[in-house]
Amino acid sequence: LEQTLSANETTPTATDTELGLKRRMALLDVLLQSSIDGKPLSNEDIREEVDTFMFEGHDTTSSALTFCLHLISRHPLVQAKLFEEIRKVLGADKDRPVTQRDLGELKYMECVIKESLRLYPTVPLIGRNFEEDVILRKHTRTQLKLIAQSIYLL
C-alpha cells in the first residue's frame, strides 16, 4: 500500500484553490504521514482508522439526516420556507447541478440543520480520561479518572 502511494505521489498537499480556500489533505494521506511515538502507523493501524471513520461517518450522518427530516416533516411551515429558499437559490431547473456556492446561500436550511443537531445530537455524550488530578470548584479530585458530560444537559 505504502509503495503504491509513494510511487504515485500526485496528491497535492494543502494549497490554495482558485476560490482562495485551502485544499484539505485526503484522510489516507494524513494517516500515511501520521506517527505514534515517532513510528509511522502500520498498514493494520491505517486500516483500523479508515474502518472507524467509514463506520462513524456513515452512522452519524444517517442518524442526523433521519432526525432532521423527521423534524421537517412535523413542521409544515418550516418545510414550506425551506422549499421557498431552495427554489429561490436553485431556480426551477431540477437538472441544474448544485454547486458549493449554492449550498452556502441556503442560510435557512443551515439553521434548520443546526437546530436539528442541537435537539438530537449524533453523539449525545462526551467522555474524557484524566491522567492528572482535576480541580473542580476549588476541590482537587485525585481519584477522578473519567468524566462524562451529556450534551442534553449543557
Side-chain angles (χ1 to χ4, degrees):
L1 175 66
E2 292 173 23
Q3 292 171 346
T4 304
L5 289 170
S6 30
N8 299 327
E9 289 204 10
T10 57
T11 305
T13 57
T15 59
D16 289 338
T17 65
E18 58 273 359
L19 296 175
L21 303 172
K22 288 280 186 187
R23 181 178 292 185
R24 295 182 184 174
M25 292 177 61
L27 171 64
L28 192 54
D29 291 330
V30 172
L31 291 173
L32 287 171
Q33 292 178 8
S34 298
S35 62
I36 298 175
D37 297 328
K39 297 179 183 176
L41 296 175
S42 68
N43 285 345
E44 183 178 339
D45 292 335
I46 292 172
R47 270 191 220 98
E48 287 176 5
E49 291 297 326
V50 170
D51 288 347
T52 300
F53 274 89
M54 293 300 290
F55 172 74
E56 295 298 329
H58 174 268
D59 188 44
T60 56
T61 302
S62 61
S63 175
L65 185 58
T66 300
F67 281 119
C68 189
L69 291 174
H70 169 73
L71 287 171
I72 292 169
S73 74
R74 304 287 295 168
H75 296 87
L77 296 176
V78 171
Q79 189 176 36
K81 192 169 179 179
L82 280 170
F83 184 75
E84 182 182 316
E85 181 183 56
I86 291 168
R87 289 293 295 249
K88 180 181 174 187
V89 171
L90 301 180
D93 184 6
K94 294 179 182 178
D95 295 328
R96 175 185 171 288
V98 179
T99 66
Q100 189 72 29
R101 179 170 282 141
D102 294 334
L103 294 176
E105 291 179 28
L106 297 171
K107 300 297 183 187
Y108 186 69
M109 182 176 288
E110 181 179 352
C111 292
V112 169
I113 292 169
K114 286 181 178 181
E115 180 65 5
S116 173
L117 289 170
R118 185 188 71 80
L119 293 171
Y120 298 101
T122 55
V123 181
L125 195 68
I126 299 171
R128 295 291 183 262
N129 291 315
F130 294 98
E131 297 177 4
E132 301 173 359
D133 292 345
V134 178
I135 299 173
L136 294 174
R137 296 187 180 166
K138 299 181 185 179
H139 298 285
T140 302
R141 312 287 184 185
T142 57
Q143 300 299 321
L144 188 63
K145 299 296 178 198
L146 171 70
I147 191 168
Q149 173 65 53
S150 170
I151 298 295
Y152 293 111
L153 299 177
L154 291 178

